[in-house]
């Protein structure tokens, strides 16, 4: 059974192994937990049979007007059964009352997010791939 929770208090890094599929320089499970801890709101999908987190979504926010959804991922073997949509719907409920809820996605996911109530828009982004894993570079290594 899949259980949805917005509490991360009892979550350990070992429950978070296996995310950031395809990222060349992914955050570790420990860093993943720090990302969740630093977020404004988080929703996790947990497989109650294994205790593993099988999907997650997070939002960062000023808590007044705007929220941004940086990450949504469902483990490959759990995809296509509505877990991603359910995670977003739970998060939208937690963010109700905010004026702006934004995210950036590939064009191929526009229809997916449109079904969930988002509207396509242009975005501008900056990425520093040296720190994609969430760790500052060692200044001594420069
Ligand atoms: C996007 C993602 C979270 C969807 O999770 P999910 O649990 O499979 O989503 P749902 O079951 O609610 O919806 C599945 C639908 O998502 C859409 N979808 C998912 N991935 C897609 C992709 N790469 N291209 C186009 N559509 C996609 C399809 O419409 C699919 O419908 P189908 O089951 O009829 O094929 C999941 O594919 C994932 O983790 N992908 C890798 C990370 C990623 O791209 N995250 C989004 C960042 S903006």
């Amino acid at each position: 059974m899949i259980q949805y929770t917005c509490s991360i208090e009892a979550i350990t890094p070992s429950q978070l192994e296996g995310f950031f599929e395809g990222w060349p320089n992914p955050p570790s499970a420990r860093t993943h937990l720090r990302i969740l801890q630093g977020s404004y709101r988080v929703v996790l999908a947990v497989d109650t049979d294994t205790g593993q987190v099988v999907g997650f979504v997070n939002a960062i926010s000023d808590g007044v007007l705007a929220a941004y959804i940086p990450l949504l991922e469902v483990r490959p073997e759990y995809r296509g059964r509505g877990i991603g949509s359910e995670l977003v719907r739970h998060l939208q409920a937690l963010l109700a009352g905010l004026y702006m809820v934004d995210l950036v996605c590939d064009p191929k996911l526009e229809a997916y997010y449109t079904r969930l109530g988002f509207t396509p828009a242009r975005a501008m982004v900056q990425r520093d791939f040296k720190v994609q894993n969430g760790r500052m570079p060692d200044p001594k290594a420069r």
Side-chain angles (χ1 to χ4, degrees), residues 10-22 26-36 44-47 50-56 73-79 135:
I11 299 295
T12 61
S14 64
Q15 290 170 276
L16 290 167
E17 298 290 346
F19 284 104
F20 303 101
E21 183 201 25
S28 65
R30 190 174 291 274
T31 302
H32 189 173
L33 185 54
R34 282 178 46 224
I35 291 167
L36 301 180
L44 306 177
V46 179
D47 184 334
T50 64
Q52 285 296 299
V53 175
V54 300
F56 77 97
E73 187 171 352
V74 174
R75 286 179 195 267
E77 62 273 31
Y78 287 85
R79 288 178 194 167
R135 285 195 292 269

Side-chain angles (χ1 to χ4, degrees), residues 24-104:
N25 183 19
S28 65
R30 190 174 291 274
T31 302
H32 189 173
L33 185 54
R34 282 178 46 224
I35 291 167
L36 301 180
Q37 288 165 341
S39 296
Y40 177 69
R41 297 285 184 269
V42 166
V43 186
L44 306 177
V46 179
D47 184 334
T48 53
D49 292 334
T50 64
Q52 285 296 299
V53 175
V54 300
F56 77 97
V57 65
N58 70 328
I60 55 178
S61 177
D62 56 27
V64 181
L65 271 196
Y68 178 70
I69 301 175
L71 297 167
L72 165 68
E73 187 171 352
V74 174
R75 286 179 195 267
E77 62 273 31
Y78 287 85
R79 288 178 194 167
R81 46 166 123 161
I83 295 174
S85 304
E86 202 55 27
L87 285 168
V88 175
R89 282 191 214 103
H90 275 84
L91 185 63
Q92 286 171 314
L94 296 173
L95 299 177
L98 292 176
Y99 167 61
M100 304 161 61
V101 178
D102 297 350
L103 59 84
V104 173

